[in-house]
Amino acid sequence: MWSCMGYNETAGGTNLSLCQDLGLVLSVLSLFYLFVCFPVGLCYNALLVVVNLSNKVSMTMPDVYFVNMAIAGLVLNLVAPVELLGPDFTRWPAWRYNDEVYITLLILFNVSSLVIMYSTTLLSLDYYIERALPRTYMSSVYNTKHVCGFIWGGAVLTSFSSLLFYVCNHVSTKIIECSEMQNKGAADAIMMFIGYVVPAVAVLYAFALILRIRKEATPLDQDSGRLDPSIHRLLLACVCVQFALWTPYYTTLLVLTVTDVPGKWYRSRQVTTYMFLRGVSQLLAFSSSFAMPLMYRQMNKNFSHKLQRLLKRLNCGEQSCPHERSAVQQVIT
């Protein structure tokens, strides 16, 4: 909880001034995100999902993964206003949520982060498969849809296992089972390992394979069934940006797990700095839901065509559009 009240009695004026300054900076950053990044991310994520689902026939393997990440981004967009207007991010909180709301926000945030990281990881692996074996069934749209379903199920189950530590940290110590599990660091360690270390290792392995394929050019490189080169750039940029935005957040989890900062230096300069950096890192994590749809919009040439077709269908209403009637007549003749 971001508050400088404890410094009035336990610390000098320097620490109090630092706390107030960092709190003000974090509050300004949070408000900037809410007024600029939040509405843009919400609109573009919803647009990405609607446009692709309305053109299911033309969806490719990367489109399915980006839709999956956009849905997780929408969940983050729901969490962001509650978090950023709460006491952890602003000196003038709009509300103070109780333990139940805190745990609910934690579940949604962890599930979204796992879905985003594993979608990004599998996207890089399927990208390698597509380059090595074009037209293969392994990276097909049909299989990708089922894989995305397993991603959500696995994210929920994984979040539930680590959630037990958080729940037991907020209930009465009279329950023996929970009193033995009151270790928030264990939950952070689980999320650090499963949510970041495993995906990072898999992405590095996929990149190593991709680089080896590029060095060993084959006649398959000219196959017309391969993805458009712009999609290749989009996939690589997506993986790099996602890990760049989420690495600071998982780094703060690692620091908290290893050093237990709040427990060692209560109301000290180190705790103030750590809480500020943790807030900024969580803002960067929220920004992934803002950056991904913008990158997809700018780098995917097919998206604008799909959007135009959707707008034409909406303008035509229930009647079939002229270009669709001409296409049907050509098929009949």
Side-chain angles (χ1 to χ4, degrees), residues 7 12 46 134 145 165 175 226 236 248 250 263:
Y7 287 105
K145 291 179 179 178
F165 292 95
I175 304 177
R226 287 179 173 271
L236 293 177
Y250 282 104

Side-chain angles (χ1 to χ4, degrees), residues 61-328:
M61 174 269 293
D63 292 331
V64 178
Y65 281 119
F66 276 100
V67 168
N68 205 45
M69 286 187 281
I71 296 174
L74 289 174
V75 177
L76 282 181
N77 287 134
L78 296 177
V79 175
V82 184
E83 282 274 9
L84 300 183
L85 291 176
D88 290 341
F89 284 87
T90 178
R91 294 173 57 186
W92 312 282
W95 51 71
R96 298 182 182 275
Y97 41 77
N98 52 25
D99 291 343
E100 289 75 14
V101 176
Y102 169 79
I103 292 173
T104 302
L105 294 176
L106 182 68
I107 294 174
L108 295 176
F109 184 84
N110 285 344
V111 169
S112 300
S113 66
L114 289 173
V115 170
I116 289 173
M117 297 302 289
Y118 277 92
S119 295
T120 305
T121 302
L122 294 176
L123 178 62
S124 63
L125 292 171
D126 276 356
Y127 169 59
Y128 159 71
I129 294 174
E130 192 278 334
R131 285 189 61 87
L133 299 172
R135 303 176 185 274
T136 179
Y137 71 92
M138 294 181 66
S139 59
S140 65
V141 175
Y142 176 79
N143 282 349
T144 304
K145 291 179 179 178
H146 289 283
V147 168
C148 289
F150 283 110
I151 290 176
W152 281 96
V156 171
L157 292 177
T158 303
S159 299
F160 178 77
S161 62
S162 61
L163 177 66
L164 291 177
F165 292 95
Y166 288 95
V167 173
C168 289
N169 200 41
H170 289 80
V171 299
S172 174
T173 56
K174 294 181 180 179
I175 304 177
I176 299 177
E177 292 80 1
C178 280
S179 63
E180 295 175 354
M181 293 178 62
Q182 287 185 357
N183 187 358
K184 184 176 180 295
D188 293 334
I190 291 175
M191 286 300 301
M192 175 66 191
F193 179 76
I194 298 177
Y196 184 81
V197 175
V198 174
V201 172
V203 166
L204 291 176
Y205 177 68
F207 275 4
L209 295 176
I210 292 169
L211 291 175
R212 187 172 66 180
I213 286 182
R214 287 186 172 182
K215 292 179 180 178
E216 301 173 0
T218 66
L220 287 174
D221 292 330
Q222 307 299 324
D223 195 323
S224 61
R226 287 179 173 271
L227 293 176
D228 186 86
S230 64
I231 301 298
H232 293 168
R233 293 191 293 270
L234 173 62
L235 303 187
L236 293 177
C238 166
V239 173
C240 294
V241 171
Q242 287 284 32
F243 273 85
L245 292 176
W246 282 94
T247 295
Y249 171 74
Y250 282 104
T251 301
T252 58
L253 284 187
L254 177 62
V255 171
L256 183 62
T257 302
V258 175
T259 63
D260 189 21
V261 176
K264 290 185 177 181
W265 303 295
Y266 178 73
R267 292 299 180 194
S268 65
R269 179 184 294 268
Q270 291 89 341
V271 169
T272 302
T273 305
Y274 170 81
M275 295 304 294
F276 172 75
L277 294 177
R278 181 175 174 83
V280 172
S281 67
Q282 197 163 350
L283 275 174
L284 290 176
F286 282 130
S287 298
S288 66
S289 64
F290 162 77
M292 284 304 103
L294 288 181
M295 292 177 56
Y296 182 86
R297 169 68 181 85
Q298 294 296 325
M299 301 181 69
N300 188 352
K301 296 186 298 185
N302 295 326
F303 181 79
S304 59
H305 299 302
K306 292 180 180 180
L307 179 58
Q308 291 174 4
R309 288 200 299 268
L310 176 60
L311 294 177
K312 289 180 180 178
R313 286 204 297 265
L314 293 177
N315 291 332
C316 295
E318 297 180 356
Q319 299 178 353
S320 59
C321 297
H323 69 278
E324 292 180 350
R325 288 198 298 267
S326 61
V328 172

